[in-house]
Amino acid sequence: MNNSAANTGRVLWAGLRALLVLTVVCGVLYPLAVTGIAQVAFPGKANGSEVTDASGRVVGSELIGQTYNLPLKDGEETPTPDLRWFQPRPSNGLGTNSVNTQYSIILSGATNRSGDNEDLITWVKDAKAAVVKDNSTADQKVRPSDVPADAVTSSGSGLDPHISPEYAELQVHRIAEKNHLTVAQVDRLVADHTDGRILGFVGEPRVNVLQLNIALKQLVATQG
């Protein structure tokens, strides 16, 4: 009986020692080492790929999309896009039953609706009509066939910070008109902020909306 108790005690003490050692190694030393390496090797990525404006103020992350809307008025539930800025793609649907309609980083995911879902079809049609209306100007009449897919559909996460160069180009005339710039000036901004395929063959060309709007803000300020 005494031997059994002693053996049990040794096993428990060995288990406790292993727990303490693993807690220190895996719960303290390893995280500190990884964090230290990350801060030295790539601090920007380690700290969330923060994006700053011309004044040095952090205005977002290059990894997470955000909205550019007018302030809500009394009684309004749905925000109105501020058409002075380049607009991102929808954030997982446009209806009230969507997973994420306002780039909320707490809620990331897709609607999981099939391509023939009536609600999804209605949202896409409404979104296309809004894109056509918002981006048609005196010198550019947008046709429904001109609207790229990413202008009316969300990404799988609903937080995509990028749009296609085609969607950015579609917005150029409206941006120029709203900000009293020339089309050539805005075209140049889009070209300068278009990233090619990774390693030349992975993915598609893309435009980071936040970085593009920061550059737009700087250009407008210089024109003023």
Side-chain angles (χ1 to χ4, degrees):
M1 187 70 177
N2 290 335
N3 288 337
S4 176
N7 289 335
T8 300
R10 284 196 297 270
V11 170
L12 290 175
W13 176 234
L16 180 60
R17 291 201 306 270
L19 174 63
L20 292 174
V21 170
L22 290 174
T23 298
V24 172
V25 172
C26 299
V28 179
L29 298 181
Y30 177 73
L32 286 176
V34 171
T35 301
I37 292 171
Q39 290 294 331
V40 172
F42 33 85
K45 295 182 183 298
N47 292 321
S49 299
E50 295 174 336
V51 176
T52 57
D53 60 13
S55 65
R57 182 172 61 96
V58 175
V59 293
S61 168
E62 66 179 20
L63 303 177
I64 299 174
Q66 57 182 273
T67 56
Y68 302 88
N69 297 324
L70 295 170
L72 282 173
K73 298 179 181 178
D74 291 340
E76 281 188 339
E77 295 183 0
T78 304
T80 301
D82 189 340
L83 298 180
R84 296 174 301 167
W85 306 104
F86 283 94
Q87 293 296 312
R89 64 189 304 177
S91 183
N92 274 322
L94 301 171
T96 56
N97 295 322
S98 312
V99 173
N100 182 0
T101 60
Q102 294 300 316
Y103 281 95
S104 172
I105 60 175
I106 296 177
L107 183 60
S108 171
T111 63
N112 290 328
R113 286 176 167 79
S114 64
D116 60 354
N117 179 271
E118 292 184 1
D119 287 338
L120 181 61
I121 292 172
T122 299
W123 296 342
V124 169
K125 287 182 176 179
D126 290 346
K128 180 174 286 191
V131 170
V132 170
K133 176 178 178 292
D134 290 343
N135 291 283
S136 292
T137 63
D139 58 349
Q140 173 184 258
K141 299 302 178 184
V142 178
R143 299 169 300 177
S145 59
D146 297 330
V147 180
D150 63 305
V152 296
T153 58
S154 65
S155 64
S157 69
L159 302 175
D160 192 352
H162 299 99
I163 57 176
S164 65
E166 291 77 17
Y167 187 27
E169 285 291 340
L170 185 70
Q171 302 182 59
V172 164
H173 285 257
R174 184 249 300 162
I175 294 293
E177 180 179 86
K178 295 290 184 181
N179 292 283
H180 308 292
L181 301 170
T182 67
V183 171
Q185 285 176 305
V186 184
D187 262 330
R188 194 175 305 115
L189 274 185
V190 172
D192 290 344
H193 290 82
T194 298
D195 297 321
R197 293 178 173 86
I198 301 172
L199 300 178
F201 66 94
V202 178
E204 296 293 331
R206 62 208 181 279
V207 180
N208 188 285
V209 181
L210 174 57
Q211 293 176 335
L212 180 59
N213 278 332
I214 291 173
L216 172 62
K217 182 178 180 180
Q218 292 174 339
L219 177 60
V220 172
T222 60
Q223 299 298 305

